[in-house]
C-alpha cells in the first residue's frame, strides 16, 4: 500500500496494525471528547442564560427601589462573574452580532424588557462583550456590562485523566497487536527452519482456537512432507539398491564373454550404470537429511588436507588465497561439497584453484575456480537440478550422472550455507560457497533472545 505523497507504509504487520489501532482509537477518543464538550457548553449556556435573566431582573428591581445614595454601595454586591452594573449611560456601539452575546441579550430583553425599555449594543474591544442600557423609574440611566461565558473552566485533573486514558489505550493496542502477530512470526520461523532434513520446529498447539488450528495444520503439513520425502527416498534407494544385483550379474557375464570391442563397450556402459546407481543412493541419503552433527571446524586445516589428497593423486589443484577461519558445518558434508566442485573443475577445466576469504558476517567464502568452458548464463541455476547435464558435456570423457551439483546444493542447504555458480571474467567457472561463521555462544544466545517477540 502506498500513500499519495510517496510515504511508505512500515513493512512490519505489527507496526501497521499498531498504527491503525492507535490512530483510530485516538480519533474516536478525540471525537467523543469534542461531542461531550459541545454538549456540556450548550447545557451550561442554557442554564446560565436562565439564571442571569432571573438574577438581573431581581437586581434591577432592587436598584430601582433603593435611594440614589444607596445604589452606589450595592453595585459591587450585585455584580457577578459575567456581568457588572454601572450607574450611567454606558458606551455606544454596533448592534449585538456575536452568537453568544445575542442569546444573552435576548434573554435579558425578555426578562426586564416588559418593565423597562432596554437597548443593547456590542462593545468592540473583544468578541463577546455587550452592554444593556435602561432607565430606572426615576430616570437614572443604568448600564449592565456583559462578558458572556460559553463554558465553565475545565478541571485541573482533566489533562491527567486524558493522558492516563491514552496510555491505557496504547497499552491495550500493543497487547492486542502482539497477540495477533506473534503466532504469525512463530509460524514464519517454524516454516523457515523446515530445512532439507525436515526436522523443523513443531508449533505448540495451544492458545486461541484460530492459532491452535493453524499450528495443527502446519504440524500436519510438516509430517506429510516428511512422509512423502521419506517415501520418495525409500523408492529411490530401493531401486538403486536392487539394480546393483543384476548389474553385478551382467558384469560377470561380460567378463566370461570373448574379449572383443562390443564387450568392452558393454563393460563401459555397465560401469556407468553402476556409478549412476551409487550416486543415486548417495543423493537419496543427502535428501533424507544428513545425520552428521554440525560442529565448529578449522576450515584451513580441512581444506589443506583435501588439497594434499588431490596433489598426491597427481591432480592440478592450487591455492589462490587462504585465511584461518572457524566455521560451523558438517565436516564430511563440507568435504564432499568441495570435493564435488573440485572434481567438476578438474573434469571440465583440467585444473582447479581454491580460495578462502572472510565474509562480512564473520563466516567464510570458499571459491573453487577453473579455466574451462564455463556454463551459459541461462543454465547457471539449472545445473543444480538432479540429472541435469549440459549437452556439450554429454560425452564419455567427461561423463557423469549429473547428480554432483544437486548433492552439493542439498548438503549446502543442510549446513545453512549458500552455493552459487558464476562465470569468470577471463573464462572458466567459479563456484562460491558461503558458510556461516562460528558465532560465540553468548552472542548466539543474545540474538535468539532478541529474535523472539
Ligand atoms: N566447472 C565446470 N565447468 C563447466 N561446466 C560445468 C562445471 N561444473 C559443472 N558443469 C556443468 O554442470 C553439469 C552438472 O554438473 P554435476 O556435477 O551435477 O554433474 P556431472 O559432473 O556431469 O556428473 P557427476 O558430478 O554426477 O559425476 C555438468 O554436466 C556440466 O555440464
Ligand atoms: Mg560433477
Amino acid at each position: 500500500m502506498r500513500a499519495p505523497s510517496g510515504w511508505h507504509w512500515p513493512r512490519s504487520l505489527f507496526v501497521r496494525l499498531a498504527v491503525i489501532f492507535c490512530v483510530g482509537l485516538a480519533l474516536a477518543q478525540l471525537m467523543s471528547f469534542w461531542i461531550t464538550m459541545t454538549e456540556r457548553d450548550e447545557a451550561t449556556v442554557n442554564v446560565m442564560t436562565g439564571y442571569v435573566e432571573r438574577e438581573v431582573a431581581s437586581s434591577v428591581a432592587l436598584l430601582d427601589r433603593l435611594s440614589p445614595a444607596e445604589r452606589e454601595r450595592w453595585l459591587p454586591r450585585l455584580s457577578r462573574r459575567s456581568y457588572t452594573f454601572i450607574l450611567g449611560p454606558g458606551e455606544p456601539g454596533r448592534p449585538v452580532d456575536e452568537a453568544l452575546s445575542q442569546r444573552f441579550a435576548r434573554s435579558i430583553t425578555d426578562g426586564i424588557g416588559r418593565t423597562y425599555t432596554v437597548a443593547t449594543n456590542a462593545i468592540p474591544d473583544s468578541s463577546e462583550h455587550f452592554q444593556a442600557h435602561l432607565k430606572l423609574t426615576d430616570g437614572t440611566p443604568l448600564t449592565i456590562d456583559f462578558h458572556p461565558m460559553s463554558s465553565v473552566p475545565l478541571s485541573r485533573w482533566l489533562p491527567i485523566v486524558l493522558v492516563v486514558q491514552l496510555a491505557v489505550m496504547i497499552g491495550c493496542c500493543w497487547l492486542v497487536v502482539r497477540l495477533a502477530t506473534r503466532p504469525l512470526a512463530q509460524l514464519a520461523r517454524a516454516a523457515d527452519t523446515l530445512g532439507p532434513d525436515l526436522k523443523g520446529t513443531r508449533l505448540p498447539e495451544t492458545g486461541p482456537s484460530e492459532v491452535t488450528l493453524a499450528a495443527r495444520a502446519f504440524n500436519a503439513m510438516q509430517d506429510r512432507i516428511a512422509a512423502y520425502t521419506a517415501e520418495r527416498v525409500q523408492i529411490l534407494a530401493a531401486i538403486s539398491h536392487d539394480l546393483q544385483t543384476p548389474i553385478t550379474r551382467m558384469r560377470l557375464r561380460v567378463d566370461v564373454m570373448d574379449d572383443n570391442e562390443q564387450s568392452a563397450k558393454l563393460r563401459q556402459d555397465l560401469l556407468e550404470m553402476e556409478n549412476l546407481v551409487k550416486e543415486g543412493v548417495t543423493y537419496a541419503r543427502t535428501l533424507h537429511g544428513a545425520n552428521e552433527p554440525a560442529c565448529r571446524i578449522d576450515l584451513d586445516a580441512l581444506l589443506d588436507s583435501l588439497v594434499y589428497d588431490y596433489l598426491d593423486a597427481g591432480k592440478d589443484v592450487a591455492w589462490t588465497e587462504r585465511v584461518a577461519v572457524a566455521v560451523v558445518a558438517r565436516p564430511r558434508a563440507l568435504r564432499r561439497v568441495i570435493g564435488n566442485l573440485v572434481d567438476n573443475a578438474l573434469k571440465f577445466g583440467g585444473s582447479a584453484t581454491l580460495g578462502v576469504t572472510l565474509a562480512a558476517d564473520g563466516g567464510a567464502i570458499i571459491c573453487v575456480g577453473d579455466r574451462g568452458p564455463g556454463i551459459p548464463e541461462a543454465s547457471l541455476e539449472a545445473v543444480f537440478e538432479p540429472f541435469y547435464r549440459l549437452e556439450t558435456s554429454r560425452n564419455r570423457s567427461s561423463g557423469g550422472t549429473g547428480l554432483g551439483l544437486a548433492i552439493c546444493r542439498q548438503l549446502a542447504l543442510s549446513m545453512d550455507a549458500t552455493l552459487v555458480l558464476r562465470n569468470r571474467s577471463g573464462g572458466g567457472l567459479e563456484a562460491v560457497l558461503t558458510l556461516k561463521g562460528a558465532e560465540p555462544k553468548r552472542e548466539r544466545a543474545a540474538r535468539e533472545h532478541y529474535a523472539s517477540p
Side-chain angles (χ1 to χ4, degrees):
M1 210 186 301
R2 186 186 282 203
S5 62
W7 181 80
H8 289 274
W9 268 96
R11 288 198 65 76
S12 121
L13 181 66
F14 183 91
V15 180
R16 283 186 189 188
L17 287 182
V19 166
I20 292 171
F21 267 121
C22 285
V23 171
L25 283 176
L27 279 179
Q29 173 93 349
L30 211 71
M31 268 166 66
S32 59
F33 182 70
W34 177 77
I35 290 169
T36 313
M37 290 311 287
T38 313
E39 274 298 305
R40 175 181 182 267
D41 287 354
E42 188 63 25
T44 314
V45 168
N46 276 342
V47 170
M48 264 170 41
T49 47
Y51 166 78
V52 165
E53 181 188 325
R54 283 190 303 279
E55 277 279 291
V56 166
S58 41
S59 299
V60 170
L62 178 71
L63 284 171
D64 210 4
R65 272 159 192 71
L66 287 172
S67 67
E70 277 177 312
R71 280 176 189 152
E72 201 65 57
R73 273 195 299 118
W74 274 85
L75 289 185
R77 282 198 245 169
L78 297 175
S79 294
R80 296 289 178 268
R81 203 147 47 122
S82 59
Y83 63 88
T84 50
F85 290 94
I86 302 162
L87 282 170
E91 297 171 43
R94 55 188 162 80
V96 178
D97 50 4
E98 295 292 336
L100 195 62
S101 296
Q102 273 182 344
R103 283 179 72 172
F104 272 83
R106 209 177 306 122
S107 109
I108 295 299
T109 320
D110 288 349
I112 51 176
R114 282 185 295 264
T115 326
Y116 305 92
T117 312
V118 184
T120 54
N121 63 268
I123 302 296
D125 63 344
S126 68
S127 57
E128 294 281 2
H129 184 189
F130 75 97
Q131 287 188 344
H133 312 280
L134 59 115
K135 277 201 169 72
L136 297 174
T137 333
D138 62 357
T140 313
L142 178 71
T143 298
I144 314 164
D145 189 73
F146 277 96
H147 283 276
M149 285 185 298
S150 62
S151 62
V152 284
L154 293 176
S155 331
R156 267 200 312 227
W157 46 260
L158 195 72
I160 301 170
V161 172
L162 285 178
V163 168
V164 170
Q165 238 177 356
L166 203 71
V168 169
M169 205 179 70
I170 291 174
C172 287
C173 280
W174 179 81
L175 207 70
V176 166
V177 174
R178 192 179 122 101
L179 206 70
T181 53
R182 197 155 74 154
L184 264 184
Q186 275 176 343
L187 196 70
R189 225 173 310 130
D192 205 34
T193 53
L194 187 65
D197 57 353
L198 294 169
K199 286 175 191 140
T201 338
R202 287 194 80 75
L203 284 176
E205 296 176 10
T206 51
S209 56
E210 293 88 347
V211 176
T212 314
L213 215 65
R216 205 171 292 149
F218 179 82
N219 288 340
M221 182 193 73
Q222 215 172 341
D223 293 343
R224 267 200 307 274
I225 295 176
Y228 291 151
T229 313
E231 196 181 85
R232 199 175 69 164
V233 168
Q234 262 170 14
I235 293 171
L236 187 60
I239 293 175
S240 301
H241 179 265
D242 290 357
L243 272 175
Q244 274 174 347
T245 324
I247 290 173
T248 316
R249 236 176 7 235
M250 281 159 85
R251 279 189 62 186
L252 287 175
R253 284 192 191 135
V254 170
D255 283 345
V256 296
M257 274 168 72
D258 289 342
D259 212 11
N260 56 27
E261 199 191 340
Q262 287 305 319
S263 68
K265 280 184 184 167
L266 210 55
R267 202 171 289 123
Q268 177 64 30
D269 284 343
L270 285 172
L271 212 69
E272 272 179 34
M273 278 173 78
E274 215 175 347
N275 206 17
L276 184 70
V277 165
K278 240 185 263 162
E279 287 289 293
V281 174
T282 316
Y283 182 59
R285 281 209 194 106
T286 57
L287 271 184
H288 200 41
N291 290 328
E292 183 190 14
C295 61
R296 201 183 150 98
I297 17 177
D298 177 358
L299 193 62
D300 198 44
L302 184 134
L303 295 181
D304 212 27
S305 81
L306 191 112
V307 170
Y308 270 115
D309 287 350
Y310 277 104
L311 292 177
D312 277 352
K315 301 282 162 58
D316 186 0
V317 179
W319 280 103
T320 51
E321 54 187 320
R322 54 200 287 187
V323 283
V325 56
V327 291
V328 172
R330 302 187 162 102
R332 266 189 291 132
L334 181 61
R335 233 186 128 86
R336 182 161 186 128
V337 173
I338 305 291
N340 277 3
L341 296 175
V342 171
D343 284 346
N344 278 355
L346 291 172
K347 188 157 62 173
F348 300 104
S351 64
T353 56
L354 204 67
V356 179
T357 48
L358 265 180
D361 66 345
I365 302 171
I366 307 170
C367 297
V368 180
D370 64 63
R371 287 290 176 196
I375 294 176
E377 291 292 323
S379 301
L380 281 175
E381 262 305 304
V383 288
F384 285 106
E385 303 279 328
F387 303 109
Y388 187 96
R389 306 191 71 233
L390 293 177
E391 280 304 311
T392 49
S393 64
R394 280 190 188 277
N395 59 58
R396 281 179 190 273
S397 64
S398 65
T401 55
L403 280 171
L405 285 177
I407 292 173
C408 287
R409 200 20 100 73
Q410 282 298 326
L411 290 176
L413 271 175
S414 76
M415 288 187 290
D416 212 6
T418 55
L419 173 64
V420 287
L421 295 179
R422 58 181 180 221
N423 287 307
R424 297 174 75 181
S425 54
L429 191 82
E430 186 173 55
V432 183
L433 179 74
T434 311
L435 288 165
K436 288 237 158 71
E439 209 174 355
K441 251 187 203 161
R442 199 146 39 102
E443 277 179 25
R444 189 171 57 229
R447 182 171 53 76
E448 279 164 5
H449 173 76
Y450 288 114
S452 61

